[in-house]
Amino acid sequence: MPFVAVPLLNTWLWMGGRDLLAVALFTIIGASVVRVAGGVVLYRVEVTATALKARTSLLVRSLAWQDVDRVEAGEGFVVLTTGQDENEINGITKDRSPYVAGVIEAARRAAADQPVRRARPRPGLGVLLVLLYLVLSVGAFAWKWHLV
């Protein structure tokens, strides 16, 4: 909701070339929070003995192997299912997807007897872009109405 309401409010408040800044930032922020088919898209994936660490659109996540229920390979992607959530790893060469899924499955099975280490998500670049957009929005409002 704020990703729609704030830019619309800014468009109404801003008149002139500053609208381009709002549209550009909204496009960047919108692209950073896209969800594909109800799942989370993972980037820069790092497979460790205890967890899978990956950057999502807004956060850097760590997914414990004990939380992964199923690993599936597709054409150019691998899907990790945890409960009702699907975590999708994209950008894999189509013929390498089964190999990547096999490596991830082997790491998951090897970690079955290890203690669970869960980490909270930490902010990524998307959070910085959202905060930048909000600061610029408030600044533009204050500038427009001569509050600063």
Side-chain angles (χ1 to χ4, degrees):
M1 179 68 178
F3 296 112
V4 175
V6 172
L8 288 176
L9 179 64
N10 281 339
T11 302
W12 176 68
L13 293 175
W14 293 7
M15 298 297 175
R18 289 178 277 183
D19 288 335
L20 295 177
L21 178 62
V23 170
L25 285 174
F26 178 60
T27 302
I28 292 170
I29 292 168
S32 71
V33 296
V34 169
R35 288 179 160 271
V36 176
V40 178
V41 179
L42 304 176
Y43 307 94
R44 294 186 189 172
V45 177
E46 177 185 337
V47 177
T48 67
T50 57
L52 178 129
K53 295 179 183 178
R55 183 175 61 83
T56 64
S57 55
L58 290 175
L59 301 171
V60 176
R61 294 180 49 169
S62 178
L63 183 64
W65 290 123
Q66 289 82 354
D67 295 338
V68 176
D69 299 327
R70 191 172 67 237
V71 178
E72 299 174 16
E75 289 189 27
F77 63 90
V78 173
V79 176
L80 303 166
T81 306
T82 58
Q84 293 182 346
D85 292 335
E86 292 182 347
N87 299 284
E88 186 173 319
I89 304 170
N90 288 319
I92 303 169
T93 308
K94 292 182 181 181
D95 60 335
R96 300 282 293 172
S97 296
Y99 173 75
V100 172
V103 170
I104 291 173
E105 182 64 29
R108 183 177 83 88
R109 289 183 188 203
D113 298 333
Q114 295 181 5
V116 178
R117 290 185 175 176
R118 291 185 177 90
R120 291 182 173 219
R122 38 175 229 233
L125 181 62
V127 173
L128 179 65
L129 290 173
V130 170
L131 291 175
L132 174 67
Y133 184 76
L134 292 175
V135 166
L136 290 174
S137 299
V138 170
F141 177 80
W143 185 276
K144 167 75 177 163
W145 298 104
H146 306 290
L147 300 175
V148 288

